[in-house]
């Protein structure tokens, strides 16, 4: 009887892995369901255990059982780890993902599991925090804040109840690393959280998972139950999100766990001092916490040895969108954007030229191929007016309309704004209107009245308050462009609207409480600056201020 | 529903932080959160009605009217757009006979937006009654339409 390995990851299942697994089981094979290896162009992937190791075949369908088992199938890949996509990776965090049965405690222990926790528990709390500091690990949720320093604050906070909260809200389009890890190696996250609990003196932890991830929720719940005796006295529970992107923001997430509307809190107080239920709280992304077992097991130096500048260790980069070899590529910081998109991703799936990539989700900048020399590094991206965020790269080919993408960024912000501050709540809605006017005007190059935007997209306005309705009169472009009260008196010329867009972006950038309103200008302005032709402008526009 | 809420809180607790889990459980049970149940929830968790209403309306997941018998959640986010999501959205609306964000008049199917399912390299993607479907093209849409006609 042959033993075969087939992923049960949500992406593999979406591509038909369940049917394939059923077919192999019916043929009498022992089917081990694993997490995903991370390259989706070869899914559904079947790996057959042989004397010479695990031999991969993919993509395969349910009708391919015989050809796979006798080794004649045309999609024979050989050893999966030897494929170019995998050979160049440095899998520190994702070492087990796609290899083991995610819920098997035996598999986990046999592949080095719990070594980090054992090492941590043999040390004083301060020593563990020092190790994490020395590793150089920075938060993988987006902001890149040093994890060890965050933990130190919580360790130093007054005694009493403390919490570990894992941010598994992963709302950024183009990202799926948190999901893959939770589905493919849940004990790794649990181990990381247990180490954090030991390091700061916390007794209970929460994993806040978005509701769009039903597989991850089920796997984490099962893994928590199965490993409770190992991490005790530390206890854990899963909390399910409810479809609000802003709940990925850490303070909104805490409010959501507390049973409230997911609105962003003003800082200070820092969550590290007054977080969940007002208690000192470590809140970290899945990937930050899942990096910790490696660091404790292999030492801070082993982790810090790879990387670039102040970005130490590895980053699980996610190649998404219109890319030929999309998937998860864990590698040390410093690799260039171009290597990732072209050499590893293989360019677009549509075989057309790459026109733009968006890095870091819906709040990240759009870059043209002329920026492909950028090294993957927090500082380098910030200096170029972008961000790494959660390391998702969304590839677009030359059919993309960048004005539409800029409009979408505003639309998304309007749909997801928590409603707490005006520049974001109202500004995003005004931003959609401005983009509609630009899109309307660029085709005809004469004034067109904007189409109203319908549907759910304006729900934030219902939530938050009424429209602005300024009744000022005057000479400036702002007054001419404001149309809430006087739709017939707007200057809808592209120049006026583009100037208005820049002004609005400025207000959102500097006047918003959190990065949803504050960073939405990144995709908008980068689209405008790098692709002015899509906005009806022959040449890049100057700043609005005269 | 009173009974359900009573039994649920007896089992899982009635502190404020149980509100979202309770709403999820209710929606799982009957598909939506009727406005009429808001006072019952408020009483059970010792909250104001306004408080509960505020939470129900804040989160996109919670419905206040019964959903269609089938729900197609189609991803509208950037990575799916990069793979032709907008065209698929238009085609889905036409084929299913329902606009994005709406339930068809006969109550058979609802087409709902979702912003990323974490399947971003294999889009356009959807959840059809909770089942993930990837690389949606015209043929996939036909299959989905058949499925939700049942
Ligand atoms: C609108 C918004 C959405 C966010 N979404 C996420 C998310 O989905 N996952 C995440 O880990 N961090 C997210 N963040 C960042 C968190 O606020 C926070 O920085 C992070 O959880 C800290 O963990 P880290 O230090 O391990 O990165 C978001 C921030 C904002 C402003
Ligand atoms: S910027 Fe937007 S999401 Fe952030 S606090 Fe303000 S209104 Fe809320
Ligand atoms: S953008 Fe559609 S699944 Fe992520």
């Amino acid at each position: 009887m042959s033993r075969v390995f087939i992923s049960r990851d949500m992406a593999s299942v979406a591509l038909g892995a369940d049917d394939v697994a059923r077919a192999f089981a019916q043929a009498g094979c022992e089917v081990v369901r694993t997490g995903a290896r991370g390259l989706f162009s070869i899914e559904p992937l079947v790996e057959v255990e042989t004397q010479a190791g695990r031999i991969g075949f993919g993509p395969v369908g349910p009708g391919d059982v015989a050809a796979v088992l006798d080794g004649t199938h045309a999609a024979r890949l050989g050893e999966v780890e030897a494929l170019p996509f995998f050979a160049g990776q440095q899998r520190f965090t994702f070492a087990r993902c796609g290899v083991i049965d995610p819920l098997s405690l035996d598999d986990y222990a046999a592949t080095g599991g719990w070594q980090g926790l054992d090492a941590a528990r043999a040390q004083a709390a301060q020593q563990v925090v020092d190790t994490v500091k020395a590793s150089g690990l920075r938060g993988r949720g987006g902001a890149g804040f040093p994890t060890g320093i965050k933990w130190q604050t919580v360790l130093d906070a007054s005694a009493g109840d403390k919490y570990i909260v894992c941010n598994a809200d992963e709302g950024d389009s183009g990202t799926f690393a948190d999901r893959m890890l939770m589905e493919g190696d849940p004990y790794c996250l649990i181990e990381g959280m247990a180490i954090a609990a030991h390091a700061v003196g916390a007794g209970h932890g929460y994993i806040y998972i978005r509701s769009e991830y039903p597989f991850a929720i089920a796997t984490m719940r099962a893994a928590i139950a199965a490993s409770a005796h190992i991490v005790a006295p530390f206890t854990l529970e899963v909390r399910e999100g409810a479809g609000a992107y802003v709940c990925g923001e850490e303070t909104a997430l805490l409010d959501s766990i507390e049973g409230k509307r997911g609105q962003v809190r003003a800082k200070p107080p820092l969550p590290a001092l007054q977080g969940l239920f007002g208690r000192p709280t470590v809140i970290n992304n899945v990937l930050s916490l899942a990096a910790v077992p490696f660091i404790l097991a292999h030492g801070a130096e082993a982790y810090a040895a790879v990387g670039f500048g102040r970005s130490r260790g590895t980053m699980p980069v996610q190649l998404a969108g219109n890319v030929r070899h999309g998937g998860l590529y864990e590698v040390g910081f410093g690799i260039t954007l171009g290597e990732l998109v072209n050499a590893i991703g293989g360019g677009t799936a549509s075989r057309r030229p790459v026109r733009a990539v968006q890095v870091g989700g819906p709040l990240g900048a759009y870059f043209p191929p002329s920026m492909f020399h950028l090294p993957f590094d927090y500082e380098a991206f910030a200096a170029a007016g972008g961000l790494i965020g959660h390391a998702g790269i969304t590839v677009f080919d030359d059919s993309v309309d960048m004005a539409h993408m800029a409009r979408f960024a505003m639309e998304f912000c309007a749909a997801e704004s928590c409603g707490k501050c005006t520049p974001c709540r109202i500004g995003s809605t005004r931003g959609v209107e401005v983009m509609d006017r630009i899109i309307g005007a660029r085709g005809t190059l004469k004034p067109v009245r904007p189409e109203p935007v319908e549907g759910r997209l304006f729900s934030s306005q219902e939530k938050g308050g009424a429209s602005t309705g300024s009744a000022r009169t005057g000479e400036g472009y702002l007054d001419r462009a404001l149309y809430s009260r006087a739709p017939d008196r707007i200057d809808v010329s592209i120049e006026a609207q583009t100037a208005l867009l820049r002004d609005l972006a400025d207000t959102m950038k500097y006047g918003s409480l959190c990065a949803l309103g504050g960073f939405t200008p990144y995709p908008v302005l980068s689209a405008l600056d790098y692709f002015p032709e899509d906005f009806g402008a022959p040449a890049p526009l100057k700043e609005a201020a005269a | 529903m009173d009974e359900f809420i009573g039994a649920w809180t007896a089992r899982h607790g009635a502190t404020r932080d149980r509100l979202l889990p309770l709403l999820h459980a209710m929606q799982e049970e009957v598909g939506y959160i009727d406005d009429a149940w808001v006072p019952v929830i408020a009483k059970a968790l010792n909250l104001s009605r306004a408080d509960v209403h505020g939470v129900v309306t804040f989160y996109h997941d919670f419905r206040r009217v019964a959903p269609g018998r089938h729900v197609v959640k189609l991803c509208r986010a950037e990575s799916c757009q990069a793979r032709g999501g907008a065209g698929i959205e238009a085609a889905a609306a036409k084929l299913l006979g329902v606009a994005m964000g709406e339930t068809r008049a006969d109550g058979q199917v609802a087409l709902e937006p979702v912003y990323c399912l974490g399947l971003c390299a294999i889009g356009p993607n959807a959840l059809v009654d909770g089942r993930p479907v990837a690389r949606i093209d015209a043929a996939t849409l036909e299959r989905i339409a058949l499925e939700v006609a049942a």
Side-chain angles (χ1 to χ4, degrees):
Chain A
M1 189 181 70
S2 310
R3 212 156 111 101
V4 300
F5 299 84
I6 301 172
S7 162
R8 43 175 251 178
D9 180 276
M10 184 165 158
S12 312
V13 171
L15 293 171
D18 279 354
D19 291 340
V20 175
R22 213 169 296 123
F24 276 89
Q26 273 161 11
C29 295
E30 181 195 347
V31 180
V32 180
R33 298 305 295 269
T34 63
R37 287 280 194 175
L39 173 60
F40 296 112
S41 52
I42 59 170
E43 294 277 354
L45 169 71
V46 177
E47 289 177 73
V48 183
E49 196 169 69
T50 71
Q51 305 276 309
R54 277 159 70 159
I55 301 302
F57 297 83
V60 299
D64 298 337
V65 176
V68 166
L69 290 179
D70 68 22
T72 58
H73 195 282
R76 187 180 194 277
L77 302 166
E79 221 181 308
V80 172
E81 272 136 18
L83 294 174
F85 186 87
F86 294 98
Q89 297 198 37
Q90 290 161 300
R91 288 219 165 180
F92 289 4
T93 302
F94 280 81
R96 292 183 204 88
C97 191
V99 179
I100 63 166
D101 171 354
L103 288 172
S104 161
L105 283 168
D106 289 343
D107 278 11
Y108 189 66
T111 47
W114 311 118
Q115 282 176 9
L117 181 60
D118 291 343
R121 285 183 167 170
Q123 298 171 22
Q126 184 61 56
Q127 230 179 320
V128 177
V129 173
D130 288 342
T131 302
V132 174
K133 276 189 201 161
S135 74
L137 176 66
R138 295 167 70 174
R140 302 293 188 233
F145 187 82
T147 303
I149 293 177
K150 190 183 277 188
W151 290 17
Q152 184 73 58
T153 310
V154 180
L155 172 61
D156 293 342
S158 58
D161 288 345
K162 295 179 186 177
Y163 297 102
I164 308 295
V165 174
C166 172
N167 188 340
D169 200 49
E170 196 168 61
D172 292 356
S173 170
T175 67
F176 42 81
D178 295 353
R179 185 186 62 68
M180 268 183 61
L181 188 102
M182 289 189 286
E183 292 184 31
D185 194 11
Y187 297 130
C188 178
L189 174 58
I190 291 173
E191 183 176 357
M193 292 183 74
I195 294 169
H198 174 73
V200 304
H204 190 63
Y206 292 87
I207 307 174
Y208 187 94
I209 309 178
R210 62 201 300 256
S211 61
E212 292 85 346
Y213 285 0
F215 289 44
I217 291 171
T219 306
M220 281 314 312
R221 286 207 166 118
I224 287 170
S227 63
H229 62 288
I230 296 170
V231 299
F234 180 59
T235 51
L236 270 169
E237 67 182 280
V238 168
R239 282 303 176 89
E240 184 177 349
Y245 175 76
V246 73
C247 286
E249 197 284 333
E250 54 188 10
T251 60
L253 188 151
L254 297 177
D255 268 18
S256 186
I257 294 180
E258 291 179 10
K260 302 174 187 157
R261 292 156 68 92
Q263 280 193 310
V264 175
R265 303 177 185 173
K267 285 186 258 186
L270 289 176
L273 297 173
Q274 289 177 44
L276 190 61
F277 307 117
R279 302 298 312 167
T281 303
V282 166
I283 174 159
N284 274 130
N285 174 251
V286 173
L287 301 181
S288 315
L289 290 161
V292 170
F294 176 95
I295 292 166
L296 267 292
H298 300 274
E301 301 75 29
Y303 193 76
V306 296
F308 181 94
R310 293 206 289 118
S311 308
R312 306 314 311 172
T314 59
M315 189 77 210
V317 175
Q318 298 127 85
L319 295 167
N322 192 344
V323 63
R324 205 163 145 207
H325 301 300
L328 182 122
Y329 196 89
E330 182 175 353
V331 68
F333 284 96
I335 187 168
T336 67
L337 190 51
E339 283 174 83
L340 285 165
V341 173
N342 290 326
I344 294 152
T348 65
S350 56
R351 311 289 168 97
R352 299 170 67 108
V354 175
R355 179 146 189 251
V357 298
Q358 185 179 31
V359 185
L363 308 176
Y366 286 100
F367 289 118
S370 62
M371 298 297 281
F372 276 8
H373 59 278
L374 276 183
F376 227 71
D377 164 55
Y378 290 104
E379 279 68 36
F381 267 69
L387 49 104
I388 287 183
H390 192 50
I393 301 178
T394 298
V395 180
F396 293 82
D397 72 12
D398 60 351
S399 66
V400 66
D401 177 345
M402 295 309 296
H404 274 289
M405 298 321 294
R407 182 193 186 279
F408 180 79
M410 286 291 190
E411 181 187 324
F412 184 76
C413 183
E416 301 296 336
S417 168
C418 85
K420 188 144 177 165
C421 54
T422 323
C424 166
R425 184 185 71 236
I426 306 292
S428 51
T429 298
R430 295 288 93 88
V432 174
E433 295 166 0
V434 173
M435 283 313 308
D436 278 336
R437 279 182 233 126
I438 291 175
I439 291 167
R442 74 171 178 193
T444 58
L445 289 176
K446 56 179 193 255
V448 180
R449 283 280 292 281
E451 291 287 312
V453 188
E454 70 298 319
R456 166 194 177 215
L457 303 173
F458 280 17
S459 57
S460 59
Q461 233 188 350
E462 285 162 29
K463 269 178 238 156
S467 83
T468 45
S470 162
R472 285 189 302 158
T473 52
E475 300 290 13
Y477 70 86
L478 252 182
D479 301 280
R480 273 184 281 128
L482 270 173
Y483 85 130
S484 302
R485 288 274 167 90
D488 46 329
R489 281 196 283 120
I490 334 160
D491 178 355
V492 293
S493 72
I494 287 186
E495 293 71 28
Q497 293 299 320
T498 311
L500 181 59
L501 185 67
R502 287 190 184 278
D503 192 81
L504 178 62
D506 221 44
T507 304
M508 290 175 71
K509 192 166 168 183
Y510 296 106
S512 296
L513 181 60
C514 86
L516 182 48
F519 286 11
T520 292
Y522 280 108
V524 175
L525 292 183
S526 58
L528 178 59
D529 288 334
Y530 288 118
F531 308 93
E533 63 276 19
D534 285 16
F535 292 72
L541 283 151
K542 292 203 294 280
E543 280 296 323
Chain B
M1 255 304 131
D2 296 41
E3 235 168 80
F4 179 88
I5 294 169
W8 193 92
T9 48
R11 180 137 180 253
H12 300 281
T15 46
R16 154 145 227 161
D17 74 297
R18 309 312 300 177
L19 179 53
L20 262 76
L22 172 60
L23 293 175
H24 272 304
M26 290 175 68
Q27 189 152 299
E28 176 93 342
E29 182 78 8
V30 286
Y32 70 112
I33 316 285
D34 196 301
D35 283 347
W37 303 327
V38 166
V40 189
I41 301 168
K43 190 143 178 267
L45 300 189
N46 196 22
L47 299 169
S48 74
R49 278 180 290 165
D51 226 345
V52 175
H53 175 82
V55 169
V56 172
T57 52
F58 182 87
Y59 294 95
H60 299 309
D61 275 4
F62 300 129
R63 300 188 191 91
R64 292 165 66 199
V65 291
R69 276 183 286 286
H70 298 280
V71 178
V72 177
K73 291 190 179 204
L74 187 65
C75 179
R76 294 196 73 230
E78 291 91 338
S79 295
C80 283
Q81 290 186 40
R83 301 176 61 94
I88 290 299
E89 182 179 329
K94 203 163 156 225
L95 199 61
L96 301 176
V98 55
M100 177 55 95
E102 311 258 313
T103 302
R104 203 163 76 193
D106 64 0
Q108 185 66 19
V109 58
L111 182 61
E112 298 184 351
V114 60
Y115 293 92
C116 192
L117 295 166
L119 311 172
C120 319
I122 50 174
N125 303 305
L127 285 178
V128 179
D129 294 328
R131 185 175 53 86
V133 183
R135 289 195 193 127
I136 297 176
D137 55 14
T140 325
L141 280 181
E142 298 279 352
R143 277 200 298 279
I144 293 174
L146 271 181
E147 195 179 324
V148 300

